[in-house]
Amino acid sequence: AQSVTQLGSHVSVSEGALVLLRCNYSSSVPPYLFWYVQYPNQGLQLLLKYTTGATLVKGINGFEAEFKKSETSFHLTKPSAHVSDAAEYFCAVTQAAAAGNKLTFGGGTRVLVKP
Amino acid sequence: GAVVSQHPSRVICKSGTSVKIECRSLDFQATTMFWYRQFPKQSLMLMATSNEGSKATYEQGVEKDKFLINHASLTLSTLTVTSAHPEDSSFYICSAFDRLLSYEQYFGPGTRLTVT
């Protein structure tokens, strides 16, 4: 069984400030972890993913996330927010042992960037 | 590479009619496709898993007779909402996966269904 919890359904940051989106997961087997971004009325775009290896992963648009097994976390950060980062962000997990298995999504975090 | 399209992007239909949504993998063969439903301001809810050439596997609580899924080829899956009602109005998103290509799911742009 697997689950994902995103703390904070809404996050508001000022342009240029740090963006931190929290994601905690539970998985009975080694997880594959993903962060997706969704703009209004659009599908999901992959920001970054963790499978194996380096625990700090870098993605598109200046985002990065760190896999911390001991904390079962995969928080997403960006050092300096831009107005174009305003969107909905989803953390997701699947089981590494069965790649292609169903994704389980967190509830999402809506990011508002104040100019 | 790994592009998934959906058609139509928006559809409005009258209550009681059926609507078909297509999901296509444009540059790879999708052994598995997933169908999700997303209500406003909510996360994605998996409806069913569709494997090419076999019957779809529906998630608990999803009516298989209402949401007909066909995955007849490695590049096309269709979702048909039968006898649609206003409560079926939602954003439907598909994703496609090829285990030989990657462990990732590639998402379509979504279809906004409005039932009047």
Side-chain angles (χ1 to χ4, degrees), chain B residues 6-111:
Chain B
Q6 279 184 244
H7 179 79
S9 58
R10 290 178 176 270
V11 57
I12 300 173
C13 71
K14 292 187 176 181
S15 187
T17 62
S18 295
V19 175
K20 180 183 287 187
I21 302 170
E22 294 185 348
C23 177
R24 293 181 184 273
S25 55
L26 299 184
D27 49 4
F28 68 101
Q29 293 184 326
T31 51
T32 303
M33 288 183 170
F34 300 89
W35 285 96
Y36 297 86
R37 184 173 181 176
Q38 186 178 31
F39 290 104
K41 301 185 188 303
Q42 294 189 27
S43 187
L44 280 72
M45 180 192 78
L46 180 64
M47 299 174 66
T49 303
S50 168
N51 290 300
E52 187 267 338
S54 62
K55 289 184 178 181
T57 302
Y58 290 81
E59 294 299 299
Q60 191 173 8
V62 178
E63 299 176 60
K64 59 182 66 177
D65 293 332
K66 180 164 190 62
F67 299 100
L68 301 179
I69 292 172
N70 182 276
H71 192 167
S73 79
L74 284 171
T75 59
L76 174 64
S77 176
T78 60
L79 167 67
T80 301
V81 183
T82 63
S83 186
H85 290 283
E87 57 265 30
D88 298 324
S89 298
S90 192
F91 194 54
Y92 293 88
I93 303 176
C94 73
S95 70
F97 165 77
D98 177 11
R99 60 179 175 269
L100 298 180
L101 176 68
S102 170
Y103 44 77
E104 290 181 42
Q105 289 184 30
Y106 299 95
F107 286 83
T111 296

Side-chain angles (χ1 to χ4, degrees), chain A residues 19 21 33-39 44-50 57-65 74 76-78 85 87-91, chain B residues 104:
Chain A
V19 179
L21 305 183
L33 294 157
F34 304 82
W35 274 101
Y36 292 92
V37 61
Q38 185 181 33
Y39 297 98
L44 272 65
Q45 180 182 9
L46 180 67
L47 280 176
L48 49 78
K49 59 184 181 287
Y50 169 80
V57 292
K58 296 184 183 298
I60 63 172
N61 301 341
F63 285 93
E64 62 181 38
F74 190 56
L76 180 72
T77 61
K78 180 174 180 177
D85 295 325
E88 185 91 22
Y89 292 80
F90 293 98
C91 181
Chain B
E104 290 181 42

Side-chain angles (χ1 to χ4, degrees), chain A residues 91-103:
Chain A
C91 181
V93 64
T94 191
Q95 296 183 346
N101 236 6
K102 296 181 287 188
L103 278 172

Side-chain angles (χ1 to χ4, degrees), chain A residues 12-26:
Chain A
S12 181
V13 299
S14 298
E15 190 175 15
L18 171 72
V19 179
L20 170 61
L21 305 183
R22 300 179 185 276
C23 172
N24 288 89
Y25 70 91
S26 69

